[in-house]
Amino acid sequence: MLKEKDNYSWYKYYNDMKTHIEYPNTSMYSLMRKCALKYPSNIAYTYFGNKVTYKSFLMKIDTCSRAFIKLGVKKSDVVSIIMPNTPEAIICFYALNRIGAICNMIHPLSSEEEFKYDINLTSSKYVIVCDLAYQKLFNIKDDINVLKIIYLPISESMDIVTKLGYKLTNGRNVLKPDKDVIMYSSFLNEAKNYHEVIKDTGTGEDTAAILHSGGTTGKPKGIVLTNMNFNSLVLSELEINKCLGNGISILAIMPIFHGFGLGCTFHATLVSGGTAIILPSVNPKKFDETLLKYKPNILACVPSVLEGLTKSKKLKETDLSFIKCIICGGDSLSGELQEKIDKFLSDHGSETHVRTAYGMTECTAGVTMMPKEEVRKDSIGIPCPDTIIRIFDANNKECLSGEIGEICIYGPTVMKEYLNDKEETDNVLKTHKDGKVWLHSGDLGYMDSDGFVYFKSRAKRMIVSSGYNIYPGQIEQIILKHPYVEACSVVGVPHPYKKEVVKAYIVLKEGLVLNSEIKKSIKEYCEKNEYDIVDVYNDAGHSGKDLMRPEMQRLLKDIKSKKIDKLVAIKVDRLTRNNYDGFWLLNYCEEHDVKIELMLEPYDVSTANGEMIFGMNLVFGQRERKEIGARTKRAMEEMALERIHPSKAPYMAILEIRKQVI
């Protein structure tokens, strides 16, 4: 831990900030509860119009805690949470933290193989799963060893009208739980049968959560984070970002299964008396409408979200003075884009500027942030309180000012370890001659003489898309299990809004014809539903990264000409893997009275709830939809270095669109 006597070059930019903070040796729940008791009437969160005070929030957590104890959950038990951003997700998290259990946070749109791996890696005894992800969990139930599964509809906290709409549309298509699965409402009812006083005995050293990443190699990792990691993260964040606090609202769109969402958004808000505006998904094309509807004081987001704001016609004459702070992380923000956004904010009455931040899951989330009064083009800010950043060369020798090397981090937010992987832990947590244990980020950058850090590139093989870390190795492992795939390689390709999108190059086994089964499945589907197929649009061989494909352009032209009544595709990612383009296509079809039908995603996208699920599949499913995109570059580079040339060119055929008349 740093001491007050320590003096670093970046301290002169702290102004009224503390250089050192005394962190409580408590659980995350205890820190949040202290705030809730101070501001009982403040609104803790909103969800589809429902407002919940801190007093009510504590009561919900208490009920949930008792239900978990009655279920049999004990201190240090691991409970997997497979949920998007919902009130229940954060309630369950704090309830488990209160009794000393460990939350294993899993992306709800991960593949079945990832579900199985993450659950088994952590030896989870219990699983809480949202209804939209239950089918995948059901398919692997014989491969996981859990005691109980809790089934939680995402409509649980919706208002009556929204809930009814959900049940009439998407709710009809989800797999219903079998008899061994516990409904969330029944789970909560058991709380009334536990009457003992619940004592929070958690300490800073206790493990709070396991988040998932690819480490430095792309191999799936369970990142073990403690109460101290999260509490020090948010308390240092509150020190460097004094906008957070009593009555301040934040748009909680960063996913709870990610460090940025769980730590910097939810926990930071709920220990400061602020209000989390919870949204399970956001339509990027309608983000301006979302902004005007909720008018949050703080935005914590990735660059792709901000890019869209500057192009909004709805915000052209709008007063944005309600925006007090914008924290941008999860991806690199170019100096040019930052200047563009800052000018846009100033022109629309906001007195803030974009404050860039940097971090990684291995250090809970963020370790740098741009000072409030400072703007340095292309910089990711200065170290947060109690955090030291150094740039080291390959021999662990500190680099000179302006010299590029590996970004290394020391401080209270650095993870405990990679779960059950000492070798990889030792590769990134290294004790130097100064006696400190430094986290080697695998990222390259430099520090100037004032202590401002500049990110240059990622040394590790990782793709960053819309702020999400995507690890090609994980995707390749899944694709290679397919019986038709001989080889594949996943790479990241540039994208104007998302930094990178994923592209997978696949070589089929000898003798196989590309897309034969896809064509057959579509034909059978159309015949079954008595559709008359009047045309076929096939962009086989063209990348699905955008809409600028010959057959897609022909389709769009025919839609505009009113030749089409219904468009049928296997999944939304057969139409596009671009988040922005996905919503553009949806709106384009709506404008021309064309209904979209997705064979393997059986929800009605024309309804409000259908659009919400559509949004979840696009926003929270970045990996799953783009897991067609990024492994080839490395494989081909490795082949080239070894002077090996593949027998056939790698390619990918994704799109198979049917124009139909009912």
Side-chain angles (χ1 to χ4, degrees):
M1 191 67 67
L2 305 189
K3 305 297 182 183
E4 290 284 0
K5 65 179 182 179
D6 293 323
N7 189 27
Y8 297 98
S9 58
W10 55 85
Y11 280 180
K12 60 186 174 193
Y13 297 98
Y14 272 23
N15 297 321
D16 60 341
M17 290 165 43
K18 297 178 182 177
T19 61
H20 172 67
I21 301 168
E22 293 293 335
Y23 302 105
N25 186 29
T26 63
S27 66
M28 295 173 65
Y29 166 79
S30 180
L31 189 63
M32 183 279 298
R33 183 176 183 273
K34 182 179 179 181
C35 172
L37 294 176
K38 184 178 180 180
Y39 305 110
S41 60
N42 279 19
I43 302 299
Y45 64 82
T46 67
Y47 187 68
F48 288 99
N50 291 331
K51 298 179 179 180
V52 175
T53 65
Y54 275 89
K55 181 180 179 180
S56 181
F57 183 41
L58 280 183
M59 292 174 64
K60 290 177 181 291
I61 293 172
D62 182 72
T63 299
C64 194
S65 297
R66 295 176 183 280
F68 277 124
I69 294 173
K70 191 70 176 116
L71 187 67
V73 179
K74 300 179 179 62
K75 184 179 177 65
S76 300
D77 283 347
V78 180
V79 181
S80 291
I81 299 178
I82 310 176
M83 296 175 63
N85 288 11
T86 64
E88 289 72 32
I90 194 65
I91 289 169
C92 286
F93 180 87
Y94 279 122
L96 289 165
N97 187 258
R98 182 188 187 189
I99 62 178
I102 301 167
C103 297
N104 180 36
M105 311 300 289
I106 299 178
H107 192 321
L109 291 180
S110 297
S111 67
E112 292 176 10
E113 287 296 317
E114 288 174 306
F115 276 11
K116 182 168 64 177
Y117 181 87
D118 293 346
I119 292 171
N120 289 337
L121 173 68
T122 59
S123 301
S124 295
K125 292 185 177 181
Y126 307 88
V127 177
I128 309 164
V129 60
C130 66
D131 50 359
L132 296 176
Y134 177 68
Q135 175 72 70
K136 288 182 288 188
L137 188 69
F138 177 82
N139 293 341
I140 63 165
K141 66 178 183 177
D142 294 334
D143 299 319
I144 57 176
N145 185 25
V146 298
L147 299 177
K148 294 292 183 180
I149 296 174
I150 299 171
Y151 182 98
L152 201 160
I154 64 168
S155 61
E156 190 74 20
S157 291
M158 293 178 179
D159 61 77
I160 295 176
V161 175
T162 307
K163 182 181 293 188
L164 179 61
Y166 174 82
K167 290 183 177 180
L168 292 175
T169 55
N170 306 294
R172 296 189 305 174
N173 300 314
V174 297
L175 180 65
K176 303 303 179 184
D178 58 31
K179 61 181 181 180
D180 296 327
V181 174
I182 304 171
M183 294 296 295
Y184 186 73
S185 56
S186 300
F187 159 75
L188 290 182
N189 284 336
E190 289 297 313
K192 62 185 179 184
N193 296 320
Y194 186 82
H195 306 287
E196 302 295 324
V197 176
I198 302 175
K199 295 182 180 180
D200 175 18
T201 60
T203 68
E205 298 302 313
D206 292 338
T207 298
I210 299 171
L211 304 184
H212 296 273
S213 178
T216 58
T217 62
K219 179 183 175 183
K221 299 293 179 189
I223 300 172
V224 181
L225 299 170
T226 66
N227 287 314
M228 179 61 74
N229 289 150
F230 281 103
N231 287 340
S232 59
L233 168 77
V234 301
L235 292 177
S236 64
E237 181 185 352
L238 293 175
E239 188 63 35
I240 200 169
N241 180 24
K242 295 186 182 294
C243 292
L244 281 165
N246 179 17
I248 299 297
S249 63
I250 185 169
L251 198 61
I253 58 175
M254 299 308 296
I256 194 171
F257 46 82
H258 189 284
F260 195 180
L262 179 57
C264 297
T265 301
F266 282 102
H267 194 46
T269 302
L270 296 171
V271 302
S272 63
T275 300
I277 303 168
I278 302 177
L279 295 175
S281 67
V282 174
N283 183 336
K285 193 170 182 179
K286 297 182 179 180
F287 185 73
D288 49 3
E289 297 178 12
T290 301
L291 197 65
L292 294 176
K293 179 179 180 179
Y294 295 105
K295 294 187 176 181
N297 304 128
I298 299 178
L299 295 180
C301 56
V302 295
S304 58
V305 172
L306 300 177
E307 172 77 10
L309 290 181
T310 63
K311 301 177 180 180
S312 170
K313 294 180 180 180
K314 291 184 176 67
L315 299 180
K316 191 174 182 180
E317 304 296 333
T318 304
D319 180 16
L320 298 180
S321 59
F322 58 85
I323 300 178
K324 307 300 182 182
C325 178
I326 295 181
I327 305 169
C328 185
D331 204 346
S332 298
L333 178 68
S334 69
E336 291 73 19
L337 179 56
Q338 181 171 356
E339 290 177 350
K340 183 180 179 180
I341 297 168
D342 287 347
K343 184 179 185 304
F344 176 84
L345 291 169
S346 177
D347 292 344
H348 290 76
S350 177
E351 297 181 356
T352 190
H353 61 85
V354 178
R355 299 179 66 180
T356 52
Y358 165 83
M360 53 196 303
T361 312
E362 285 84 348
C363 53
T364 316
V367 290
T368 73
M369 186 181 292
M370 187 65 64
K372 184 179 181 181
E373 309 300 331
E374 199 69 23
V375 178
R376 296 235 178 161
K377 187 176 180 180
D378 295 320
S379 174
I380 54 177
I382 59 176
C384 294
D386 292 310
T387 296
I388 308 174
I389 291 184
R390 291 282 184 259
I391 312 298
F392 292 110
D393 63 18
N395 298 315
N396 291 337
K397 181 181 177 181
E398 187 173 352
C399 296
L400 299 175
S401 175
E403 190 174 274
I404 295 177
E406 184 177 15
I407 300 173
C408 295
I409 304 150
Y410 170 82
T413 65
V414 173
M415 69 172 184
K416 184 177 182 179
E417 62 184 353
Y418 287 128
L419 184 64
N420 300 332
D421 197 333
K422 186 178 184 303
E423 181 180 358
E424 186 69 3
T425 299
D426 292 341
N427 284 337
V428 298
L429 296 180
K430 301 179 180 181
T431 303
H432 288 209
K433 292 180 179 180
D434 58 8
K436 294 182 174 68
V437 178
W438 292 86
L439 171 66
H440 285 244
S441 70
D443 293 338
L444 302 178
Y446 68 92
M447 179 180 282
D448 65 20
S449 58
D450 289 329
F452 285 81
V453 185
Y454 298 78
F455 171 87
K456 299 302 294 182
S457 65
R458 299 186 181 270
K460 54 189 174 184
R461 188 176 168 244
M462 181 174 70
I463 301 161
V464 179
S465 182
S466 296
Y468 289 91
N469 295 343
I470 302 171
Y471 301 92
Q474 297 181 20
I475 303 172
E476 289 167 350
Q477 291 172 23
I478 295 171
I479 295 177
L480 287 171
K481 290 181 179 180
H482 196 284
Y484 297 161
V485 176
E486 180 68 31
C488 72
S489 182
V490 172
V491 298
V493 296
H495 187 273
Y497 301 108
K498 301 180 175 191
K499 186 71 174 179
E500 293 180 294
V501 292
V502 180
K503 179 183 280 187
Y505 292 86
I506 298 173
V507 177
L508 297 179
K509 291 184 177 179
E510 194 69 32
L512 295 179
V513 180
L514 189 66
N515 263 353
S516 60
E517 291 195 3
I518 292 177
K519 292 178 181 179
K520 180 181 177 183
S521 65
I522 293 180
K523 183 176 183 296
E524 291 177 347
Y525 177 83
C526 293
E527 290 175 348
K528 179 181 178 182
N529 290 276
E530 299 181 350
Y531 294 154
D532 180 18
I533 303 174
V534 297
D535 207 345
V536 175
Y537 300 81
N538 186 356
D539 270 315
H542 292 270
S543 171
K545 67 179 181 179
D546 55 39
L547 301 178
M548 301 304 295
R549 292 159 283 159
E551 286 291 88
M552 173 59 77
Q553 289 297 302
R554 185 168 72 91
L555 168 66
L556 297 177
K557 183 179 179 180
D558 287 349
I559 290 176
K560 188 176 182 179
S561 302
K562 304 295 183 181
K563 296 180 179 180
I564 299 173
D565 295 317
K566 176 175 286 193
L567 180 63
V568 175
I570 290 182
K571 299 170 62 179
V572 68
D573 67 8
R574 302 307 192 214
L575 299 172
T576 180
R577 293 183 177 78
N578 182 315
N579 191 24
Y580 184 87
D581 287 346
F583 274 106
W584 185 91
L585 181 62
L586 175 63
N587 292 327
Y588 187 81
C589 288
E590 288 178 352
E591 290 172 4
H592 295 86
D593 298 320
V594 175
K595 185 179 177 71
I596 296 178
E597 190 162 329
L598 306 172
M599 294 168 54
L600 301 183
E601 296 171 359
Y603 50 85
D604 187 355
V605 298
S606 66
T607 66
N609 286 287
E611 185 173 320
M612 180 185 72
I613 307 303
F614 184 87
M616 289 179 61
N617 285 343
L618 285 172
V619 177
F620 289 117
Q622 297 284 346
R623 288 182 299 173
E624 193 167 14
R625 288 184 315 279
K626 298 177 202 157
E627 279 172 5
I628 310 178
R631 282 176 229 190
T632 302
K633 184 178 179 181
R634 183 193 66 171
M636 303 310 294
E637 288 176 348
E638 292 175 353
M639 288 181 176
L641 291 171
E642 298 176 8
R643 300 183 181 276
I644 299 174
H645 302 280
S647 59
K648 59 178 77 174
Y651 55 90
M652 186 173 197
I654 301 165
L655 186 66
E656 187 69 36
I657 306 174
R658 303 284 170 147
K659 181 178 77 172
Q660 302 172 347
V661 177
I662 301 179

